[in-house]
Amino acid sequence: MKAEPLALSLGDPAGIGPEIVVKAWQALRSTGPAFVVVGDAQALASAGASGAALARITRPSQATEAFANALPVLDLPLQSSVVAGRSDTAHAASVIRWIETAAGLALSEEVSGVVTAPIAKAPLYEAGFRFPGHTEFLAELTASARHDGARGPVMMLCAGDLRTSLATIHLPLAAVPAALSIDTVVNVGLVTAQALGRDFGVTRPRLALAGLNPHAGEDGALGREEIEIIRPAARALRDLGVDCSDPRPADSLFHPAARATYDAVVCMYHDQALIPVKMLDFWGGVNVTLGLPIVRTSPDHGVGFDIAGRGLARPDSLIAAIRLAGEIAARRRSARQAA
């Protein structure tokens, strides 16, 4: 079973996406993994003023052969011009189409996975986009496809030896307690444990659960979510065969000695999961969507309108996302061959 290329959706063309895509290709062209960009070739050409060659292709299978010499592009042109650093609702339909196309290629197994460059949510919302972001949109696009195991989407952030999954994602902090439930935490834990085994090669996954409140609630003195939600979820996960801790104080969960005791942490809210990842590796963190029938990763940063078009953007996170997508795809491919 040969390795198909990855599909990389271009993201917001007015952000740093085109620049970091070109830089990622320049870094990976001799080693891979190979990828094909789904997006606007002219936006890439403008970002690659330093001399990157483009190869307009019509089928993803052509990408692997072209990759060493030129950046392969499945050219789906924009309908309006791009001004670097300026958000434009006129680009929204194309941005959405690029994501849909990449996901469709993954579902049809013409590519081995999807890597998504950053999108700006505001112009998409203005155009009628009804999803909080990539994660939820990709879950909708893949909802009817077969997936063995617990279903996501679950957002995981990775940096070095740290992996953090989120029980809630883009919510105001005040809304987090009401959004938590035993079922929610159990499902995130199941999806995470299964992904650790299937996608990350962890033989006996160990989960830690972060407490919501200071000191993990201190037996109810500082909040009851640990008693009423998180601890029962931990028991349920253990009953399902998952090696899972009771809720642990988040302020002592991320130093090196603590990280040696687990393979992933289930965090209760956005910043609890993202701050330690970005402290550990600000430039190289990766966002992974777990519990989908397709592989999907992305850089863990936004569109960077403030530096777009200036040649300053670092591609580290995108390069790490491409490499991780390639590794996960290879593990899934090996598992299918062994089945």
Side-chain angles (χ1 to χ4, degrees), residues 79-294:
Q79 301 304 306
S80 58
S81 60
V82 176
V83 178
R86 184 176 299 174
S87 172
D88 193 336
T89 305
H91 301 150
S94 291
V95 172
I96 293 167
R97 183 188 178 198
W98 299 338
I99 300 167
E100 292 172 334
T101 300
L105 292 171
L107 288 171
S108 65
E109 299 184 355
E110 294 179 74
V111 298
S112 59
V114 174
V115 181
T116 57
I119 56 174
K121 296 180 178 66
L124 297 183
Y125 295 159
E126 291 172 14
F129 188 69
R130 59 183 179 86
F131 299 92
H134 269 124
T135 300
E136 297 82 3
F137 187 36
L138 287 166
E140 175 75 11
L141 292 174
T142 60
S144 61
R146 176 182 171 180
H147 175 67
D148 297 326
R151 191 83 184 212
V154 168
M155 181 184 290
M156 173 184 276
L157 279 297
C158 304
D161 64 348
L162 177 60
R163 306 179 187 99
T164 60
S165 294
L166 283 75
T168 66
I169 305 178
H170 296 115
L171 290 179
L173 189 57
V176 169
L180 291 174
S181 69
I182 295 172
D183 287 347
T184 295
V185 177
V186 168
N187 189 66
V188 172
L190 276 176
V191 170
T192 301
Q194 291 172 6
L196 287 171
R198 179 178 67 171
D199 294 338
F200 291 87
V202 179
T203 305
R204 298 175 62 86
R206 302 164 300 163
L207 296 186
L209 298 189
L212 174 68
N213 296 296
H215 304 179
E218 199 149 322
D219 294 323
L222 298 176
R224 295 194 57 81
E225 287 82 5
E226 287 76 13
I227 294 172
E228 296 173 0
I229 298 172
I230 307 174
R231 196 175 297 163
R235 287 196 297 269
L237 284 164
R238 290 192 290 268
D239 288 343
L240 292 168
V242 177
D243 183 346
C244 178
S245 77
D246 281 330
R248 296 167 61 177
D251 64 353
S252 58
L253 198 49
F254 300 106
H255 60 87
R259 296 201 303 271
T261 66
Y262 57 76
D263 299 298
V265 183
V266 175
C267 295
M268 298 302 118
Y269 59 93
H270 183 277
D271 285 9
Q272 189 180 64
L274 271 70
I275 288 173
V277 167
K278 294 190 176 186
M279 285 289 292
L280 186 64
D281 188 356
F282 182 77
W283 298 109
V286 178
N287 179 352
V288 189
T289 305
L290 310 181
L292 296 184
I294 65 171

Side-chain angles (χ1 to χ4, degrees), residues 24-35 64 67-68 319 322-323:
W25 170 74
Q26 290 170 332
L28 297 171
R29 57 185 296 188
S30 62
T31 62
F35 60 85
T64 303
F67 193 74
I319 292 169
I322 294 166
R323 285 175 170 155

